[in-house]
């Protein structure tokens, strides 16, 4: 079977999921003909993704969030305004998606939670000759068993609206989950394991006595540097996406910031003592696979990440806080209850489950 991927390019999570699924498909005799990546002006498609996806990569501008002045949190109202002003560009990019699909004539188009891909599915539904499948942790927000925070109901409704647009006219929705949950076929919703790459699955965890941090939004580095200035005896390695910064950047002893490099990041994840990050789904899963205690700090005004942190805490991944107070992680590490074996068993079922759902 032939596949085309459409990947949301914000952060690394959806990209690494796409790499994992591509490898599964190829190992089972299928082919990914092209990969479209929705991106914003402030992001570049990482080199590691272009190298490892091993298919033609086509970038296009897709709706995205606007950061606040400190480059930490999201500005929801401003994001809506800016994206509305770019509506002509987005409408034009629907044709970019369609041209790629028409050129390669896939049996299946897989959408890794890109909003414009969902709009494409709706607008071009009458000419579709392929199965449209959506993949992402966010799809679990439609599951009857998913627990939301009781606060911020407006943001909850906006998030669910976003998810419903992204999955518009889909044939199948595959919700990535930390734990097993019942399928809900009436909603076309099937609960599946996380998509982790071979670099994670094939290596064992070690502890080399340092902490690892990852932040998509560079503004959080100020908090990290301020904390570490009072705890310089702690070895801390961080990854960020500040394109103009030196690589590596060392504010002071025992603290280093690297530009995002996939192989380097995975090796540091494998060997760290604990992990701190904004609450992106994929890196939480990698930390859980290797049994690493986690401090999750959801990006300000990012309701999706708040939901991720609550879900991961419930699954035993670690603790959540509204600031990068790394002392909390240091205190938590000795009492972390490792659920590594249980989580690994769930993850290792991924290939069988995905092949059954995608190729039947």
């Amino acid at each position: 079977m032939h596949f085309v991927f459409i990947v949301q390019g914000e952060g690394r999570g959806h990209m690494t999921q796409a790499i994992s699924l591509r490898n599964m498909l190829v190992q089972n005799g299928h082919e990914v003909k092209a990969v479209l990546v929705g991106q914003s002006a402030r992001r570049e498609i990482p080199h590691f993704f272009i190298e490892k996806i091993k298919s033609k990569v086509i970038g296009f501008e897709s709706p995205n969030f606007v950061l606040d002045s400190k480059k930490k949190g999201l500005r929801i109202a401003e994001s809506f305004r800016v994206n509305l002003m770019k509506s002509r560009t987005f409408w034009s990019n629907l044709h970019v998606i369609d041209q790629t699909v028409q050129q390669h004539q896939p049996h299946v188009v897989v959408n890794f939670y890109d909003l414009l891909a969902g709009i494409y599915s709706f607008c071009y539904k009458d000419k579709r000759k392929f199965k449209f499948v959506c993949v992402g942790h966010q799809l679990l927000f439609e599951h009857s068993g998913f627990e939301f925070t009781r606060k911020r109901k407006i943001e909850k409704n906006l998030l669910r609206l976003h998810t419903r647009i992204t999955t518009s006219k889909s044939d199948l929705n595959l919700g990535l989950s930390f734990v097993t949950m019942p399928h809900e076929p009436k909603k076309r919703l099937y609960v599946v394991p996380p998509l982790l790459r071979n670099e994670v699955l094939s290596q064992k965890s070690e502890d080399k006595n340092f902490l690892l941090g990852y932040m998509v939004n560079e503004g959080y580095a100020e908090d990290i540097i301020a904390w570490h200035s009072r705890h310089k005896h702690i070895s801390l390695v961080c990854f960020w996406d500040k394109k103009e910064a030196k690589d590596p950047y060392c504010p002071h002893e025992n603290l280093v910031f690297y530009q995002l490099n996939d192989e380097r990041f995975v090796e540091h994840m494998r060997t760290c003592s604990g992990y701190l990050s904004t609450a992106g789904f994929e890196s939480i899963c990698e930390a859980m696979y290797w049994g690493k205690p986690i401090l999750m700090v959801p990006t300000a005004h990012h309701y999706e990440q708040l939901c991720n942190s609550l879900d991961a805490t419930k699954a035993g991944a670690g603790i959540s806080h509204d600031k990068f107070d790394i002392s909390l992680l240091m205190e938590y590490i000795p009492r972390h209850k490792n659920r590594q074996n249980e989580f690994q068993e769930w993850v290792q079922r991924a290939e069988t489950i995905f092949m059954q759902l995608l190729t039947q």
Side-chain angles (χ1 to χ4, degrees):
M1 295 178 67
H2 293 169
F3 290 75
V4 166
F5 288 177
I6 308 175
V7 185
Q8 188 213 114
E10 187 74 4
R12 63 186 283 275
H14 299 288
M15 294 184 186
T16 57
Q17 291 164 12
I19 292 169
S20 300
L21 185 56
R22 178 262 171 202
N23 291 341
M24 287 181 188
L25 290 168
V26 170
Q27 289 166 9
N28 285 272
H30 307 289
E31 186 176 359
V32 178
K33 303 292 286 186
V35 180
L36 293 133
V37 179
Q39 55 190 129
S40 67
R42 72 176 191 273
R43 304 286 188 205
E44 294 180 355
I45 301 175
H47 177 72
F48 83 85
F49 180 76
I50 296 172
E51 178 184 353
K52 293 189 176 182
I53 198 67
K54 297 180 180 177
S55 299
K56 182 179 181 181
V57 176
I58 303 158
F60 65 95
E61 190 169 1
S62 187
N64 222 303
F65 290 113
V66 174
L67 296 181
D68 61 23
S69 59
K70 295 182 179 180
K71 296 186 178 182
K72 293 182 179 180
L74 306 181
R75 298 173 64 190
I76 303 301
E78 182 67 6
S79 298
F80 182 81
R81 187 189 69 82
V82 169
N83 286 313
L84 190 62
M85 291 177 62
K86 294 183 176 182
S87 56
R88 288 187 179 181
T89 298
F90 299 148
W91 184 258
S92 176
N93 286 342
L94 293 178
H95 298 289
V96 174
I97 296 174
D98 189 55
Q99 288 171 2
T100 304
V101 171
Q102 294 304 317
Q103 177 184 351
H104 295 286
Q105 295 292 309
H107 301 97
V108 182
V109 171
V110 182
N111 177 21
F112 292 87
Y113 206 65
D114 185 81
L115 182 67
L116 205 60
I119 296 173
Y120 166 74
S121 173
F122 179 82
C123 293
Y124 287 76
K125 59 183 181 298
D126 293 334
K127 62 183 294 187
R128 268 177 34 190
K129 298 179 181 179
F130 54 84
K131 181 189 289 187
F132 186 69
V133 179
C134 297
V135 177
H137 178 63
Q138 298 90 340
L139 276 56
L140 283 186
F141 300 156
E142 295 299 309
H143 196 285
S144 60
F146 190 87
E147 294 185 16
F148 293 92
T149 176
R150 295 180 181 179
K151 301 177 181 180
R152 299 164 66 171
K153 290 185 178 180
I154 293 177
E155 291 173 81
K156 171 185 173 181
N157 291 333
L158 287 173
L159 177 60
R160 295 187 72 176
L161 175 62
H162 184 284
T163 299
R164 288 170 183 174
I165 295 173
T166 302
T167 58
S168 180
K169 300 297 178 181
S170 62
D171 298 291
L172 201 62
N173 297 322
L174 306 183
L176 303 172
S177 177
F178 296 118
V179 297
T180 58
M181 298 172 70
H183 299 316
E184 296 191 345
K186 291 183 179 180
K187 299 179 181 178
R188 308 184 307 281
L189 176 59
Y190 293 81
V191 179
V192 295
L195 286 164
L196 300 186
R197 294 160 300 148
N198 291 333
E199 293 91 330
V200 177
L201 301 178
S202 61
Q203 299 187 75
K204 293 184 179 181
S205 175
E206 295 182 39
D207 186 343
K208 294 188 177 181
N209 196 32
F210 70 93
L211 299 179
L212 174 66
Y214 170 60
M215 54 224 64
V216 174
N217 300 332
E218 64 193 61
Y220 285 107
E222 297 176 5
D223 299 340
I224 301 292
I225 294 170
W227 180 89
H228 196 267
S229 67
R230 303 186 300 272
H231 304 84
K232 292 183 179 179
H233 62 288
I234 302 295
S235 181
L236 177 57
V237 177
C238 295
F239 287 79
W240 61 356
D241 190 21
K242 189 174 183 178
K243 291 179 286 188
E244 68 275 16
K246 292 181 180 180
D247 187 28
Y249 169 59
C250 303
H252 39 68
E253 185 181 4
N254 286 331
L255 175 61
V256 58
F257 286 84
Y258 290 109
Q259 296 287 348
L260 184 57
N261 175 289
D262 193 54
E263 292 182 0
R264 180 182 285 163
F265 177 81
V266 168
E267 178 60 18
H268 279 83
M269 177 71 84
R270 185 183 72 84
T271 56
C272 71
S273 303
Y275 178 58
L276 52 127
S277 176
T278 50
F281 176 78
E282 192 69 11
S283 66
I284 294 174
C285 289
E286 291 171 349
M288 290 178 70
Y289 192 86
W290 277 323
K292 307 297 183 180
I294 309 169
L295 169 64
M296 295 163 280
V297 182
T299 298
H301 311 300
H302 199 316
Y303 186 76
E304 176 193 323
Q305 288 197 354
L306 177 60
C307 292
N308 286 350
S309 67
L310 293 173
D311 197 27
T313 300
K314 181 181 175 183
I319 57 174
S320 179
H321 195 58
D322 61 353
K323 296 179 182 178
F324 276 104
D325 185 351
I326 305 173
S327 299
L328 295 176
L329 177 60
M330 300 292 294
E331 294 168 2
Y332 170 73
I333 287 174
R335 53 188 174 87
H336 175 67
K337 294 182 179 179
N338 195 331
R339 299 185 182 179
Q340 181 180 8
N341 293 338
E342 179 183 345
F343 187 71
Q344 287 186 353
E345 289 176 3
W346 171 230
V347 169
Q348 288 162 4
R349 294 172 56 192
E351 183 170 347
T352 299
I353 294 173
F354 271 90
M355 291 307 101
Q356 288 175 344
L357 291 169
L358 288 176
T359 62
Q360 63 185 4

